[in-house]
């Protein structure tokens, strides 16, 4: 597609529920990133996928967070047993590849609110 | 770990005035990215700087990278209402890293 597409744009759920956030990267981009943006913490890296390599999960805040990237394209970020501190905007980005001279292009994000 | 500090945190300028936003790193910079964000939207890529002394311009926005000072500046000339938003700088956490760390952002308001 023309840009990174994320869905849903907004998600409100009750504490303790599981949520799935979807990211469709720019066509042809092999690298995909998830970030989280919250008022107190700013923009934080969560996880990074590059082709068929093992993902870099070093930014995931707890084992309640997981992500998959099927077929090297669409990615799903799953948060299990959501907590109020999970409320944030979750941003996905993609880049052509993982070399350092490729900028990351961001989607509009999913605004997650935990009641 | 790498930390980026932006200054000022917020800025209000009159339309037509010039302004500068700074991004200072706690460690050696291995590239620097500038993004703009509007409320409810994602980050829009502005410019990427890779080498010390590098300077890039796009329309009325110019960015420079000073490796020695571990700092980058973003300068807007003759500001317009369309320049309003939050400006974020980002940099690789370590050399060759793909994950970026970001500054806390600078909120720019343009008054007519």
């Amino acid at each position: 597609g023309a840009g990174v597409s994320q869905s849903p744009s907004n998600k409100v759920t009750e504490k303790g529920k599981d949520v799935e956030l979807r990211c469709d990267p720019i066509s042809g981009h092999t690298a995909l990133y998830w970030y989280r943006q919250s008022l107190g913490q700013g923009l934080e890296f969560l996880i990074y996928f590059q082709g068929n390599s093992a993902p870099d999960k070093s930014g995931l805040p707890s084992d309640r967070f997981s992500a998959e990237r099927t077929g090297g394209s669409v990615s799903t970020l799953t948060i299990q047993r959501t907590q109020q501190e999970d409320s944030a905007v979750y941003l996905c980005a993609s880049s052509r590849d993982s070399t350092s001279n490729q900028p990351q292009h961001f989607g509009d994000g999913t605004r997650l609110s935990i009641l | 770990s790498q930390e980026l500090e932006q200054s000022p945190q917020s800025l209000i300028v009159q339309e037509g005035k010039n302004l500068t936003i700074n991004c200072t790193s706690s460690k050696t910079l291995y590239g620097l990215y500038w993004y703009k964000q509007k409320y409810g939207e994602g980050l829009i890529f502005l410019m990427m700087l890779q080498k010390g002394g590098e300077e890039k311009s796009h329309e009325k926005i110019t960015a420079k990278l000073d490796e020695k000072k571990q700092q980058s500046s973003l300068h807007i000339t003759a500001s317009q209402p369309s320049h309003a938003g939050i400006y974020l700088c980002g940099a690789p956490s370590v050399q060759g890293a793909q994950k970026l760390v970001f500054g806390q952002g600078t909120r720019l308001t343009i008054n007519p």
Side-chain angles (χ1 to χ4, degrees):
Chain A
V4 177
S5 178
Q6 292 188 245
S7 61
S9 54
N10 287 281
K11 177 73 175 179
V12 180
T13 192
E14 293 179 347
K15 176 182 171 182
K17 300 287 187 183
D18 297 350
V19 294
E20 284 190 353
L21 313 180
R22 176 188 167 106
C23 173
D24 203 338
I26 293 173
S27 178
H29 280 194
T30 61
L32 186 147
Y33 313 78
W34 284 98
Y35 292 86
R36 178 170 71 174
Q37 188 174 35
S38 57
L39 280 176
Q41 300 298 324
L43 191 57
E44 303 172 288
F45 166 80
L46 296 177
I47 187 170
Y48 151 67
F49 296 89
Q50 170 56 55
N52 296 321
S53 302
D56 177 348
K57 305 179 181 180
S58 59
L60 295 179
S62 78
D63 58 8
R64 296 187 295 105
F65 287 71
S66 62
E68 290 184 342
R69 189 179 185 193
T70 54
S73 181
V74 172
S75 177
T76 302
L77 178 69
T78 301
I79 308 173
Q80 295 179 309
R81 305 180 303 281
T82 52
Q83 304 294 314
Q84 287 188 332
E85 61 263 27
D86 299 335
S87 295
V89 177
Y90 289 81
L91 292 162
C92 176
S94 70
S95 62
R96 191 175 303 170
D97 55 44
S98 61
T99 57
S100 58
N101 63 350
Q102 296 296 325
Q104 298 176 24
H105 298 274
F106 285 77
D108 285 344
T110 293
R111 184 173 299 274
L112 178 63
S113 300
I114 309 299
L115 302 178
Chain B
S1 59
Q2 175 80 282
E3 290 186 1
L4 298 176
E5 183 171 340
Q6 291 185 233
S7 62
Q9 292 187 8
S10 65
L11 189 56
I12 302 173
V13 300
Q14 191 171 7
E15 183 177 353
K17 297 294 186 183
N18 303 337
L19 62 105
T20 299
I21 298 169
N22 291 306
C23 174
T24 303
S25 172
S26 61
K27 296 187 177 181
T28 301
L29 280 170
Y30 300 105
L32 195 289
Y33 299 81
W34 282 102
Y35 288 87
K36 178 185 174 185
Q37 185 177 31
K38 291 198 169 183
Y39 181 79
E41 299 179 11
L43 279 64
I44 299 169
F45 170 71
L46 296 176
M47 274 172 279
M48 174 178 66
L49 304 166
Q50 290 189 286
K51 301 175 183 178
E54 188 172 12
E55 179 176 324
K56 287 189 176 178
S57 294
H58 176 67
E59 296 180 345
K60 295 185 178 180
I61 301 176
T62 300
K64 301 179 185 179
L65 179 61
D66 186 331
E67 267 186 352
K68 288 184 180 179
K69 291 184 179 179
Q70 296 177 179
Q71 185 178 72
S72 178
S73 60
L74 186 82
H75 184 76
I76 300 178
T77 304
S79 58
Q80 301 171 348
S82 61
H83 289 131
I86 299 173
Y87 289 81
L88 291 136
C89 61
S93 55
V94 295
Q95 187 174 19
Q98 311 314 316
K99 55 189 178 184
L100 301 180
V101 293
F102 286 88
Q104 77 276 27
T106 295
R107 182 180 298 273
L108 174 62
T109 302
I110 308 295
N111 284 337

